[in-house]
Amino acid sequence: CTATSAPASITVIVCDDTLNLKLFIQGYYAGSSTMTPALFNQGETIDNTVTDTIVVEIHDENAPYAVIDSKLAILQTDGTASCTFPNANASYYVAIKHRNGLQTWSALPVQFGIPSISYDFTTASSQAYGDNMFEVESGVWAFYSGDLNGDENIDIGDLTILENDISNFAFGYRAADTNGDGNVDTLDDPILNSNLLNFV
């Protein structure tokens, strides 16, 4: 009954990575690090802790920055969202797409290959590639609102969509509802117009 031992190398492969995000959308921001429950206001859910859905992409860190994977995530009113990427084991840019928010990328590639990764866009404009965010209150940053047609600019094309929806008294799940109150009206205009005039 003598004990024997031998050194061994063990490689542990992490199969799934959970990406925990924090981000705010400018038009939905209600203050005190919370957002309006847009989906609830638009009649899409009975859960008033949900703001909206977002698309989370991970991109190769080298040009041409190909999409490696894409997931749909639920964005909570506190700005948190989570999604799981299987077999992600390198550094990737994280890109966020939203139906009326300007597409925003992480400033630098994020290291995957561990079970839980966190990235907080809200703490500084430098968390986004090109510092491309808006300060909604002191020290709190959000993605620009108003890219209604998804062309990565806030311009006259987006304003036309908003004005048409205002004229048609549109309500419900609409990209032009930039403040998330469930209606498309003149209250949605100031944010989009401000960002348009600033060539966002």
Side-chain angles (χ1 to χ4, degrees), residues 114-127:
I114 55 175
S116 183
I117 304 113
S118 295
Y119 197 87
D120 189 344
F121 282 95
T122 70
T123 58
S125 64
S126 59
Q127 289 293 95

Side-chain angles (χ1 to χ4, degrees), residues 79-189:
T80 59
S82 294
C83 50
T84 301
F85 291 95
N87 303 314
N89 56 5
S91 292
Y92 306 106
Y93 281 102
V94 175
I96 311 296
K97 294 180 178 179
H98 177 258
R99 63 189 165 120
N100 68 30
L102 192 66
Q103 182 178 159
T104 304
W105 288 39
S106 59
L108 297 168
V110 176
Q111 179 63 52
F112 283 68
I114 55 175
S116 183
I117 304 113
S118 295
Y119 197 87
D120 189 344
F121 282 95
T122 70
T123 58
S125 64
S126 59
Q127 289 293 95
Y129 190 87
D131 293 340
N132 201 26
M133 289 195 293
F134 182 84
E135 192 172 23
V136 287
E137 68 180 57
S138 181
V140 181
W141 296 83
F143 294 5
Y144 285 102
S145 291
D147 184 13
L148 308 185
N149 62 8
D151 67 356
E152 300 180 27
N153 292 296
I154 299 172
D155 54 23
I156 195 73
D158 304 299
L159 184 60
T160 301
I161 293 169
L162 176 63
E163 288 176 346
N164 285 339
D165 277 2
I166 290 172
S167 296
N168 292 321
F169 302 99
F171 64 92
Y173 189 76
R174 309 289 293 203
D177 180 17
T178 59
N179 69 358
D181 67 358
N183 298 297
V184 182
D185 52 28
T186 55
L187 296 175
D188 298 298
D189 186 62

